[in-house]
Every structure is written in C-alpha cells, then in structure tokens.
Amino acid sequence: MVRRTSTVLVSVLGIALAGFSPNCYSQKEQTLCEVTVTGVKPERFMIGQKVKDIDSTQLAQNRFTTLANFLQFQSPIAFKSYGAGQLATISFRGTSSSHTAVLWNGVNINFPSLGQSDFSTLPMSGFDEMTIQYGSAASCVGTDAVGGSILLRSVPKFNQTGLQAIAGVSAESSKNYAGQAGVRFYYPVAKNWKISGKTLFYGADIRNDFGNDPIQNRKGAQYPVEPMQTLQKGFVQDIYALHSNGNLFSLNAWVTDNNLTIQPNNLSLREITQTKAQRYVLSYNVGKTLLRAAYINDVLDYGRADNTNPSHTDIDRYLFRVEHDFSWIKSCERGTNLKVGSEVTHYAAQVDGYGKALKTENRADFYLLLRYQHSLRFSSSLNLRQALVSGYNPPFTPSLGIDYRVFSSPTDRLNLTTNIAYSYRVPTLNERYWVNLGNPALQPEVGFNKEVGVVWKRRTSEHFHQQYSINAFHNLIDNWTYWNPDKNYKVENLQQVLAKGIEIETSHRVITAAWEATAQFQYALTHSSQQKAYGPYTQDILGKQLIYVPRHSLSGTLGVTSGAWSFTVQQLYNSARYITFDHSGRPFPGYYLMNAWATYQYKLKQHRLHFQLQGNNLTNTLYPNLKKNAMPMRSVSFNVIFIFNQKK
C-alpha cells in the first residue's frame, strides 16, 4: 500500500504489527507509545501467518540480481527455470506458478493470460522493499495468493535533503553484462510540501556463453548449455508529494522490455520471445482514505525461425481502488485496526489464440481486514473478501489468525501462531477464452490452508541476537484446473491437490566493535500430491509428488562485515524432482549450489564507490532444472557501483 507519514499515538498494536525488533524489548516497550509510523501495510493483518521482510542491506548487495536468483537462496521456494535470463516460474509451498500472487505497490502484476510472473524479468533494482508471505492470503491481497505472495514496494525517502545519483556496471565471465543509472531526490517545495522520488534506468545483455565446457558430458549426462541471448531494459520512476497535514500523492511507473532468443545462430531451431510491460500506479492518501488508480499493459510476442509472423498477446488492465482505515486505540497495550475497501478492474485482451474479437472481463473485490490487539500477549485478525467476476463465481474467502505470547523475559520471547484461511484463484484468460481449449464454465478453484507456528526470539546481550521458528502447514486445493491431455488439452477442473509440510528457519547475528556476522538457515519438507481420481489416467498418480517440486529444500547464508569489507557465502540444496506425474521417468537428480562474493566500499568525502567480486555455482554443479538442458556453470562477475551524494 502507498505510504503516508504522520506522528500518532500507537499502542503496542502498532509495535506488534510492525514486527519484533531485536533492539526493542519489553522493558522499553512502555516508552514507545508515541512513534512515527507509515500507512498500514496488508501484511499487518496477516496474524498467524509466516511473513518475512527482506532488509535493505540484502537488497543493496544483490542490485544486479533477478528476483528468481535472490529468492531461491532466501527462502524454501522452488523455481522452474531454463537458465539465467530465461523463463523462471515459482513453486511456493508445493503449488503451481499460478498460485503465487506478485504485488507491486499493491497491484497484482501477474501476466493475465498465463496467471503467473516470469521472475527472470523482475530485477532487484525495480523496487525498494520486499516481503515474502507464506501460505494463503487471498483475504488480504486477492486472487492467486494460494501458496503465498511476494509483495514489492517503492517507498519515498523524506529523511535527507538533496540528491543522490547512482551508476553501476556488472561484467560476468560467461559474457553476461548489466548496467544501471539513476537518481534519488528529496527537496522541500513551497511552505507545506515535500517532494521525493527516484528515477532509474537499467539494462542487461545475457548470453550464458560457457564455451565448449567438457563438463557437459560428465557422468554420461548429455545436458548441453543451449545457446541463447537475452536483452533486457527497463525504466522506473517514483514521485511522491507529501503535505504537512500528512496527505500523500504518489506516482509509480515501471516499464520493462525483455527479448529472449533461443538458438540465435540456428535459424531452424530459433525461438524468439519478447515480453513488454507498462505499469503505472497513481495514488492519493487523504487522511485515512486511500484512492488508487492503475493502468497495466502486458505484451507478449512469440515467433520461430525468422519471426515473420509471431503470435501476439496484448492485454490492458484498468484498476480503481478505494479504502479507508479506522482505528480505536485504548492504551499502549490494546487497540483495534479496521481496513475496509473495494477494487474494480477491467480487462481488455487482444490475443491471437482467442480469435479476432476483443475479449473483455470485469472484476470487483470487496474486503474487510480487522486486527485486534487485546494485550501484549494476545493479538488476532479476522479478514473477509468477496470477489466478483463476469461469468464466474469466486468463493467467499475469510481468514482467522491468532498470535499468542507463551513466554516473555528480558532475554527471550516465545510466540505461538496459528491461521486458517480460504483462498481462491480466478482462472487465467487463456483458461477461459482460448479457442476450442478454454473453458468459460470452469468451477471456482478453492484452497483451504491451515498452519501453526512457533517463534522463539533471543537477545542474550547487546551483541548476540537469535531467532528460531518452525511452521507446519496443510493446504487442500480443490477444483485445480488442468489442461486435460485425454481431451486434446482442453481445460477442466480435474485435480484436488494437497500440499503439506514443515518449514524450519534460524538466524543469528553477532555484533562487536570491529565486525558483524550474520547466519541464516532455512529447511523445508514439502509433500504435494493429487488426492482424487477424476478419470482412469489419474489412478497411477494419486499420492505421488507433483512434478518439479522437491521434497527437501535447504538454503543458508553466512555474512561477515568488518570496516569497509564484507564477505557473503550462499548455499542451496534441492532434492530430486520428478518430471512425470506417475514417476515413471527418471527424476532430475538433487543438486547443491554455492555462491560467494566480497565487497569493498571506498569513501570519498560524502561519496561511495563499491567494488564487488562474485562467484556463482562455485562447485561447477551440472544439473538440469526444467528440461534436459544444463543450468549455468561456474562463473565470476565483477561489479562496480558509484554513489554520488550531493553535499549538504
């Protein structure tokens, strides 16, 4: 949601909503009633769910990384990828790529015809903050949030007067190159207005050229690195105007252009995919009311050989939202927040596969989000949403969450969380309107997610912070749509899928006068399988792990900072993944990856120059991910970033 800044009297409700900070313990909470807060984010109503905020340091270190590469090392999320610069789709808690909502400044940016996002086209430089939300959250964010959601935000910087310019380049040994340049600014205007914003241009040329690497034939595996080239470019523009009364006007724009060519030097095998997106969000916070309008245009062209007659997809979205926040603050320990809102969206799709006629669709959402803080120990949320879609009947999706502090001391806190939530997914435009194969009469796809978690946070001293968590989830999704091969791939509601599992996360932070070290570890055990037989062909797949979903996933990050130097090591392991529904085919083997980088920051007065040396896939692991085509081999990149700060 768009931010607005105001100084208000906030109960511990506000502190709990913002999340626990290891620098804020019970003996200090009573003095923190009056704080500066920003507009209520939707995840503050997700009580009982697992929600993880990514800190700004991690975002800055991965400035030249795509969202796909970053997320696989930061969370137990599996990706189906063809390689760097190529299609990368997500599998969140054992669900499909269309069961994860991706929101940018509060607007779902999944491609409407496919119902998913290509994470290789989403660079980390396109936003300022990110939150990973696990499990069903349709009541808070709407359609697609069945397995989880990724929340991306742009934020104003009103804390520093002047201008900051940034320019950076990245060169990788595999002939992958990237660059970006932009400015961030903040100036008071007139008597009562402050202006803040960001302008950023970025681009990349990705070739994955590893030469004639003999590793291609190691252990008899015939997994070549397929020749390709991806050209990416984009533009980000954020403008914020803040009035002294707290009213905030904002305009966010994100324009992207991604051109992927497979086998660029072989005309008979060549495939060309170009995706473009224009995203504009205009918002106005007046008091506790938000008014938002958005326009999104998605274009996809796909062709072969000389690309003389590519298939064409062009979809426009027009969105308008209004919502209002209510609050009743009784004390520093008790209070209630209520958000009431509605949203209408109009789709206009001109797609070759739908026929010559323009296809239109109207959608509306009505929602109520309630958060109640009873005391320091107990908080709860009740969220309700009803969606309306032309020619379709989405289900009512409520959710209920509870967070209870079982134990609290000056050094330790132990919280028990639980949440039950219904979710839904509106069928993609392809599923509804594709000629002869689409099905306008699809039944609602409904998920019912139950989860419970325990979070233990420790701060034994000013220098040592720890956190441990374990979450168990059970998500039953009915009427899962399926392109039925027995009926020439016509779309039908032919699956009931149960995704269940356990997630464990730990984090440690050690701070001394000379250095700081952090360590994070994540493990997920996920079982996702079909539960009902809808026809003879499904008998052999009941209870078996879905394709491309690893049962075991581990990742970890270790970082050390001392003075101007910082060192980071990332590790990832995914177990074997099946490539056929009945497990008759040989599965892709499990694989282990390691990345590492060293960064040096040189200060020149108020300016900064960052040098970063990064190694990817240091073990030179040979593995396929989505087809019999090897993922990128070992590579080394060198990044240089210059940050110019206007003298105060």
Side-chain angles (χ1 to χ4, degrees):
M1 297 296 176
V2 173
R3 307 274 179 128
R4 61 182 174 82
T5 305
S6 60
T7 302
V8 295
L9 185 65
V10 179
S11 68
V12 176
L13 167 64
I15 299 171
L17 289 174
F20 172 79
S21 167
N23 296 319
C24 176
Y25 266 69
S26 57
Q27 66 265 32
K28 298 183 180 181
E29 285 180 346
Q30 300 299 327
T31 66
L32 293 181
C33 298
E34 188 171 335
V35 297
T36 299
V37 297
T38 53
V40 179
K41 299 184 289 186
E43 54 266 38
R44 291 186 171 183
F45 296 93
M46 299 174 182
I47 292 181
Q49 294 186 305
K50 183 179 176 181
V51 177
K52 180 178 181 180
D53 289 318
I54 304 300
D55 66 51
S56 58
T57 301
Q58 292 174 296
L59 297 179
Q61 286 181 335
N62 292 271
R63 197 181 299 272
F64 292 103
T65 304
T66 66
L67 198 53
N69 293 335
F70 178 80
L71 285 174
Q72 67 177 345
F73 285 98
Q74 297 297 323
S75 57
I77 298 176
F79 278 90
K80 296 176 284 186
S81 173
Y82 289 91
Q86 302 180 65
L87 178 67
T89 57
I90 194 171
S91 176
F92 208 151
R93 281 189 169 181
T95 59
S96 77
S97 55
S98 59
H99 289 121
T100 297
V102 181
L103 274 68
W104 172 69
N105 291 316
V107 177
N108 192 324
I109 61 172
N110 280 345
F111 198 74
S113 61
L114 302 173
Q116 63 189 35
S117 288
D118 180 357
F119 283 76
S120 72
T121 67
L122 300 176
M124 297 293 289
S125 55
F127 49 87
D128 301 316
E129 292 183 349
M130 176 169 61
T131 299
I132 306 171
Q133 178 271 317
Y134 296 71
S136 300
S139 60
C140 289
V141 303
T143 182
D144 303 343
V146 179
S149 59
I150 308 297
L151 310 177
L152 312 175
R153 292 180 295 273
S154 305
V155 297
K157 302 291 185 181
F158 289 113
N159 58 347
Q160 179 178 337
T161 302
L163 181 143
Q164 181 186 78
I166 180 172
V169 293
S170 174
E172 193 172 4
S173 58
S174 55
K175 296 184 180 180
N176 296 342
Y177 306 98
Q180 56 186 245
V183 296
R184 186 184 290 275
F185 54 90
Y186 162 50
Y187 291 101
V189 178
K191 181 180 179 180
N192 297 315
W193 288 94
K194 300 176 182 179
I195 303 295
S196 176
K198 179 181 69 175
T199 303
L200 179 71
F201 294 88
Y202 63 86
D205 183 353
I206 304 171
R207 298 172 186 255
N208 291 334
D209 186 354
F210 295 90
N212 298 317
D213 195 326
I215 198 172
Q216 295 176 8
N217 297 315
R218 188 175 60 181
K219 298 181 180 179
Q222 300 297 320
Y223 296 146
V225 178
E226 191 170 27
M228 53 76 66
Q229 181 177 14
T230 296
L231 298 176
Q232 294 181 342
K233 55 185 177 181
F235 167 70
V236 177
Q237 179 66 70
D238 301 317
I239 299 177
Y240 302 88
L242 177 66
H243 194 270
S244 58
N245 62 11
N247 293 347
L248 178 67
F249 170 87
S250 65
L251 172 63
N252 305 106
W254 191 1
V255 180
T256 67
D257 187 342
N258 187 84
N259 192 310
L260 166 65
T261 303
I262 304 295
Q263 297 284 356
N265 300 319
N266 190 326
L267 185 63
S268 62
L269 298 177
R270 184 184 301 161
E271 298 179 50
I272 301 174
T273 304
Q274 184 170 26
T275 57
K276 298 181 179 180
Q278 298 182 57
R279 309 177 182 115
Y280 305 96
V281 178
L282 181 66
S283 304
Y284 184 50
N285 276 78
V286 50
K288 294 185 178 182
T289 300
L290 167 68
L291 303 174
R292 169 171 293 157
Y295 168 72
I296 300 178
N297 172 253
D298 291 293
V299 175
L300 187 151
D301 291 305
Y302 173 79
R304 293 176 176 270
D306 58 2
N307 197 31
T308 55
N309 188 28
S311 63
H312 183 66
T313 295
D314 191 335
I315 303 174
D316 292 314
R317 273 182 282 174
Y318 305 88
L319 176 148
F320 181 75
R321 176 185 302 165
V322 57
E323 62 185 31
H324 186 80
D325 290 316
F326 301 88
S327 60
W328 297 272
I329 306 302
K330 296 183 177 180
S331 70
C332 285
E333 299 181 5
R334 301 184 63 186
T336 302
N337 278 9
L338 173 66
K339 183 186 293 290
V340 178
S342 64
E343 176 181 294
V344 293
T345 308
H346 174 73
Y347 291 78
Q350 190 70 61
V351 181
D352 291 348
Y354 303 168
K356 295 183 179 180
L358 180 73
K359 294 294 184 181
T360 61
E361 182 175 288
N362 295 313
R363 302 182 186 180
D365 286 79
F366 301 91
Y367 52 92
L368 181 151
L369 312 180
L370 177 67
R371 191 189 198 285
Y372 174 59
Q373 180 81 36
H374 179 269
S375 65
L376 285 173
R377 301 177 66 93
F378 178 82
S379 60
S380 61
S381 65
L382 174 65
N383 306 317
L384 311 173
R385 180 179 291 260
Q386 178 62 63
L388 304 175
V389 180
S390 54
Y392 186 72
N393 186 28
F396 175 62
T397 49
S399 68
L400 175 66
I402 294 174
D403 188 322
Y404 179 70
R405 186 173 300 170
V406 180
F407 174 78
S408 179
S409 75
T411 59
D412 294 86
R413 287 183 181 177
L414 184 67
N415 281 46
L416 176 65
T417 63
T418 184
N419 184 276
I420 56 174
Y422 280 92
S423 61
Y424 73 100
R425 183 181 73 89
V426 177
T428 69
L429 299 184
N430 281 0
E431 291 171 336
R432 297 193 70 189
Y433 302 121
W434 199 272
V435 174
N436 298 325
L437 301 180
N439 185 356
L442 285 171
Q443 296 298 309
E445 190 172 302
V446 185
F448 182 42
N449 183 69
K450 304 171 286 294
E451 63 180 287
V452 62
V454 177
V455 181
W456 177 24
K457 300 177 181 180
R458 303 201 72 204
R459 182 184 172 191
T460 52
S461 71
E462 293 287 340
H463 307 289
F464 190 30
H465 307 159
Q466 307 161 68
Q467 179 171 314
Y468 309 90
S469 68
I470 181 169
N471 290 75
F473 64 91
H474 183 283
N475 194 2
L476 183 65
I477 307 161
D478 209 358
N479 288 329
W480 185 309
T481 58
Y482 182 68
W483 297 78
N484 188 358
D486 287 353
K487 295 186 179 180
N488 194 32
Y489 293 95
K490 183 177 178 63
V491 180
E492 296 182 297
N493 298 104
L494 287 179
Q495 291 184 299
Q496 183 190 75
V497 173
L498 175 61
K500 59 183 179 180
I502 296 175
E503 297 165 345
I504 300 173
E505 291 199 21
T506 69
S507 67
H508 298 78
R509 184 182 181 191
V510 181
I511 304 171
T512 71
W515 53 272
E516 178 179 336
T518 59
Q520 297 179 341
F521 169 81
Q522 301 93 24
Y523 166 74
L525 169 63
T526 305
H527 181 75
S528 184
S529 62
Q530 183 159 327
Q531 299 298 296
K532 284 185 179 181
Y534 289 87
Y537 76 96
T538 58
Q539 293 291 341
D540 295 333
I541 67 176
L542 293 184
K544 295 182 178 179
Q545 186 83 344
L546 294 186
I547 59 174
Y548 300 117
V549 177
R551 189 180 302 273
H552 303 280
S553 177
L554 300 94
S555 61
T557 301
L558 175 64
V560 178
T561 300
S562 178
W565 287 93
S566 65
F567 304 90
T568 304
V569 177
Q570 294 180 324
Q571 300 178 80
L572 168 69
Y573 171 77
N574 280 328
S575 63
R577 291 146 297 137
Y578 293 99
I579 59 175
T580 58
F581 285 102
D582 61 0
H583 294 186
S584 59
R586 181 181 178 182
F588 285 160
Y591 61 91
Y592 168 81
L593 300 178
M594 176 186 288
N595 295 344
W597 63 81
T599 302
Y600 177 75
Q601 177 179 280
Y602 176 74
K603 293 184 179 180
L604 180 62
K605 296 183 179 180
Q606 71 269 27
H607 314 304
R608 289 176 290 160
L609 189 61
H610 295 254
F611 300 95
Q612 188 177 74
L613 182 66
Q614 181 171 346
N616 301 307
N617 191 4
L618 293 178
T619 57
N620 215 24
T621 300
L622 174 70
Y623 68 103
N625 193 301
L626 195 57
K627 62 178 182 179
K628 293 187 176 181
N629 175 51
M631 296 294 286
M633 305 291 107
R634 180 191 294 124
S635 65
V636 177
S637 65
F638 183 65
N639 310 326
V640 180
I641 300 170
F642 177 68
I643 300 175
F644 170 87
N645 292 300
Q646 185 183 54
K647 189 173 182 179
K648 296 181 181 180

